[in-house]
C-alpha cells in the first residue's frame, strides 16, 4: 500500500501512538504484541514479528502470539535483524516485488531488548519517523509487562535453564548501557547453567559503580552466595559509602551468613565518567585488562586484597586514569582456567592474544565486540565451559564539558 492511500501525517502518528498507549495500559501481557500488529496494519504494515534476544546472546527468537508472524530464530551475527539489534539502528531490506522488510531495534533506554520486523509496500520518511517512535513505545511496553508475566522469559529460552541460572539472571541489571561518556556491556557463560558469577553497575551522577563477582563452588550454593554478595553491594552503594567500606560490608555479610570456609572474589570499581579517573579494589580476582587502540597495553594490578568473606583488612585502593577510547575488560577465572589441549589451562596469555586479534578488525561497537570476543573464546576452548565464564567491559568515551549539551 503506497503513501497515497494511507494517512501518515504527524497528527495521525500521534493519534496512533496515543491509542496504542491508552489501550495497552490495561491489556494483559499476551495481548500486547497482537495489539502492536493490529496498529501497524493501520499504516499498511504486515507480517509483524517481535524478536527477543535469547539468553546466550546468539539468536533473536520470535515471540509467539495471535496476529504475529512467527518464523525461525535469526542469528544475531550476519542477519538483517541482528544488524539492527547490534547497531541500534533501523535496517531496511528490499523484497521486490513484495515491498520493504524493516527491522527496528527495540530500545529500552540504551539497552536493546529485541527487534520489531514488519513489511511495507513502500517506505517514506514519515513512515520511518512514526515507526521509530512506535518501536520505542513497544520496547517500553515489553519491559513494563515483563514484570507481570513469564511469557517473555519463556520465549527467550532456547534450552532448559538450571535453578541457579534462574536466580542469577533475576539478579542482573540490563546487559548493556550507553551514555555519551561511557558504555558498559556484559555476557555470561554458560548462559543456561550459570551459578556463582554475576555483575552489577549503576551510574550515579558522574560516578559509574561496577562490581564483578565470582562465588566459590557450583550450583545453588554458589548462586545463593552470589545473591547475598550482590545484595550487600547494592545496599552499600545506595547508602553512599566509600569503595573500601563497600568491600567491608560485603565481607561482613558473606562471613556472617556462610562462615569462614566460604568466599567470593570480587572487583569493585568507581569510574568518574567526566575525568576518566578509576579507583579499583581487586579482592582475589584476575586483574582487569586495559585495552587501548584495540590492544591490551597492561593488566590493571592492585594491592593484594583477600576475597570477600575472609575478614581481610581495609583494602588499599589503586588509582588509574583512562584515556579517551580506553576499554577495561573484567573477567572471571572460568575464562582462563578452562582446560584445553589435553589438560593445559587456557591462560591469560591466550586471552590477551584473542583480544588483540579481534582488535585488528574494525570495531563494531562495545556490545558487538564483546559478543565476538565471547564467541571467539568459546571457539578457542572447543566449546568447553565447565566453570562460569563471565566478561564485563567498560569503554570510556571522554567527559563532556557540558553534560546537557547531549540533549541539544
Amino acid at each position: 500500500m503506497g503513501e497515497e492511500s494511507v494517512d501518515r501525517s504527524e497528527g495521525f502518528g500521534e493519534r496512533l501512538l496515543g491509542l496504542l498507549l491508552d489501550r495497552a495500559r490495561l491489556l494483559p501481557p499476551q495481548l500486547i504484541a497482537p495489539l502492536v500488529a493490529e496498529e501497524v496494519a493501520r499504516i499498511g504494515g504486515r507480517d509483524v514479528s517481535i524478536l527477543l534476544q535469547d539468553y546466550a546472546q546468539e539468536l533473536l527468537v520470535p515471540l509467539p502470539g495471535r496476529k504475529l508472524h512467527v518464523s525461525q530464530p535469526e542469528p544475531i551475527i550476519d542477519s538483517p535483524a541482528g544488524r539492527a539489534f547490534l547497531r541500534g539502528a533501523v535496517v531496511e531490506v528490499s523484497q521486490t516485488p513484495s515491498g520493504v522488510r524493516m527491522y527496528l531495534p527495540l530500545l529500552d533506554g540504551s539497552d536493546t531488548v529485541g527487534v520489531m520486523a514488519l513489511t511495507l509496500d513502500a517506505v517514506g520518511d514519515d513512515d520511518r519517523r512514526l515507526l521509530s517512535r512506535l518501536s520505542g513505545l513497544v520496547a517500553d511496553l515489553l519491559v513494563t509487562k515483563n514484570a507481570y508475566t513469564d511469557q517473555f522469559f519463556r520465549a527467550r529460552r532456547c534450552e532448559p535453564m538450571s535453578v541457579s541460572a534462574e536466580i542469577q539472571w533475576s539478579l542482573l541489571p540490563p546487559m548493556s548501557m550507553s551514555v555519551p561518556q561511557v558504555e558498559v556491556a556484559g555476557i555470561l557463560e554458560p548462559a543456561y547453567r550459570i551459578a556463582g558469577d554475576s555483575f552489577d553497575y549503576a551510574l550515579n551522577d558522574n560516578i559509574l559503580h561496577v562490581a564483578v563477582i565470582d562465588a566459590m563452588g557450583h550450583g545453588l550454593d554458589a548462586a545463593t552466595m552470589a545473591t547475598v554478595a550482590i545484595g550487600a553491594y547494592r545496599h552499600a552503594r545506595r547508602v553512599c559509602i566509600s569503595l573500601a567500606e563497600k568491600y567491608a560490608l560485603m565481607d561482613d555479610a558473606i562471613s556472617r551468613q556462610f562462615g569462614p570456609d566460604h568466599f567470593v572474589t570480587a572487583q569493585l570499581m568507581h569510574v568518574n565518567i567526566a575525568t576518566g579517573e578509576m579507583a579499583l579494589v581487586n579482592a582475589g580476582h584476575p586483574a582487569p585488562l586495559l585495552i587501548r587502540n584495540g590492544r591490551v597495553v597492561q593488566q590493571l594490578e592492585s594491592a593484594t586484597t583477600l576475597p570477600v568473606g575472609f575478614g581481610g583488612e581495609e583494602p588499599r585502593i589503586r588509582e588509574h586514569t583512562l584515556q579517551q577510547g580506553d576499554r577495561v575488560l573484567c573477567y572471571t577465572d572460568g575464562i582462563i582456567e578452562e582446560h584445553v589441549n589435553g589438560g593445559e589451562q587456557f591462560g591469560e596469555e591466550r586471552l590477551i592474544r584473542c583480544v588483540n586479534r579481534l582488535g585488528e578488525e574494525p570495531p563494531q561497537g562495545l556490545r558487538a565486540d564483546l559478543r565476538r570476543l565471547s564467541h571467539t573464546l568459546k571457539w578457542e576452548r572447543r566449546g568447553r565451559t565447565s566453570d562460569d565464564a563471565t566478561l564485563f567491559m567498560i569503554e570510556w568515551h571522554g567527559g563532556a564539558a557540558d553534560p546537557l549539551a547531549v540533549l541539544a
Side-chain angles (χ1 to χ4, degrees):
M1 186 177 294
E3 290 188 35
E4 69 281 0
S5 57
V6 177
D7 181 0
R8 294 184 176 92
S9 67
E10 191 74 17
F12 172 80
E14 291 178 359
R15 290 194 301 274
L16 178 72
L17 297 175
L19 178 63
L20 176 60
L21 185 57
D22 289 341
R23 295 178 65 187
R25 281 192 307 112
L26 299 177
L27 275 184
Q30 70 270 20
L31 295 183
I32 291 298
L35 175 60
V36 170
E38 181 181 306
E39 298 304 324
V40 167
R42 293 175 181 267
I43 61 169
R46 60 185 183 277
D47 296 336
V48 178
S49 296
I50 304 294
L51 304 168
L52 303 178
Q53 177 183 229
D54 81 313
Y55 284 96
Q57 300 193 37
E58 296 177 349
L59 298 171
L60 291 168
V61 294
L63 182 67
R66 186 166 52 87
K67 298 187 179 181
L68 290 177
H69 176 69
V70 179
S71 58
Q72 293 298 313
E74 299 201 31
I76 290 178
I77 303 299
D78 296 330
S79 75
R83 289 197 298 274
F85 180 85
L86 292 174
R87 298 173 185 172
V90 179
V91 172
E92 299 177 11
V93 179
S94 177
Q95 295 183 325
T96 305
S98 59
V100 178
R101 188 71 172 165
M102 297 187 69
Y103 298 88
L104 299 107
L106 298 174
L107 294 168
D108 174 38
S110 58
D111 186 35
T112 310
V113 298
V115 171
M116 181 172 70
L118 58 96
T119 300
L120 289 170
D121 288 338
V123 181
D125 289 339
D126 288 342
D127 300 304
R128 295 183 179 95
R129 281 191 293 270
L130 175 57
L131 290 170
S132 292
R133 293 174 182 174
L134 177 61
S135 65
L137 177 56
V138 170
D140 289 343
L141 292 173
L142 290 175
V143 171
T144 301
K145 298 293 184 178
N146 187 56
Y148 309 140
T149 183
D150 292 326
Q151 179 186 11
F152 307 140
F153 292 98
R154 289 199 299 263
R156 294 179 58 201
R157 296 182 181 184
C158 294
E159 60 181 86
M161 181 175 286
S162 69
V163 175
S164 59
E166 192 83 62
I167 293 171
Q168 288 299 76
W169 280 103
S170 69
L171 279 178
L172 288 169
M175 300 302 284
S176 65
M177 179 199 71
S178 177
V179 297
Q181 298 94 335
V182 71
E183 286 184 73
V184 302
I187 191 166
L188 294 87
E189 287 285 351
Y192 296 93
R193 300 187 307 281
I194 196 79
D197 281 10
S198 193
F199 62 80
D200 197 36
Y201 64 86
L203 181 58
N204 297 329
D205 295 324
N206 276 340
I207 303 300
L208 174 68
H209 304 253
V210 173
V212 180
I213 70 161
D214 181 1
M216 66 165 285
H218 302 280
L220 278 174
D221 287 344
T224 303
M225 215 178 333
T227 301
V228 173
I230 291 294
Y233 170 72
R234 287 176 177 165
H235 172 72
R237 190 181 70 213
R238 290 165 183 169
V239 297
C240 302
I241 58 180
S242 70
L243 203 56
E245 290 170 318
K246 286 184 176 72
Y247 168 82
L249 195 150
M250 293 171 67
D251 181 78
D252 183 67
I254 294 297
S255 62
R256 284 177 180 272
Q257 184 65 33
F258 300 100
D261 297 329
H262 293 72
F263 65 89
V264 176
T265 67
Q267 282 169 350
L268 307 178
M269 284 175 274
H270 287 173
V271 180
N272 187 318
I273 66 170
T275 65
E277 296 172 344
M278 183 179 77
L280 169 67
V281 168
N282 196 333
H285 216 72
L289 302 178
L290 177 62
I291 303 169
R292 183 169 293 156
N293 299 321
R295 296 190 63 81
V296 176
V297 294
Q298 70 176 101
Q299 293 178 298
L300 297 178
E301 300 289 353
S302 59
T304 301
T305 299
L306 288 175
V308 170
F310 279 167
E313 299 178 355
E314 179 176 334
R316 286 179 288 174
I317 298 170
R318 183 69 181 269
E319 304 283 348
H320 301 277
T321 300
L322 303 179
Q323 296 182 15
Q324 187 172 2
D326 279 354
R327 290 177 169 180
V328 176
L329 176 64
C330 305
Y331 57 95
T332 57
D333 61 12
I335 296 285
I336 57 176
E337 293 182 359
E338 185 66 67
H339 291 280
V340 296
N341 298 334
E344 175 189 354
Q345 284 196 340
F346 189 84
E348 292 176 346
E349 290 186 4
R350 194 174 308 196
L351 168 62
I352 292 172
R353 286 200 301 270
C354 288
V355 173
N356 290 343
R357 188 166 70 245
L358 288 177
E360 296 171 359
E361 302 175 14
Q364 299 179 10
L366 187 71
R367 286 182 308 146
D369 290 347
L370 187 66
R371 185 178 284 102
R372 282 194 303 156
L373 175 60
S374 176
H375 293 170
T376 297
L377 294 174
K378 191 173 182 178
W379 183 87
E380 289 276 339
R381 300 192 306 265
R382 302 297 186 265
R384 287 179 53 84
T385 307
S386 58
D387 191 10
D388 295 350
T390 295
L391 298 171
F392 186 83
M393 190 178 285
I394 304 165
E395 180 174 354
W396 186 60
H397 298 304
D402 177 8
L404 292 179
V406 300
L407 301 177

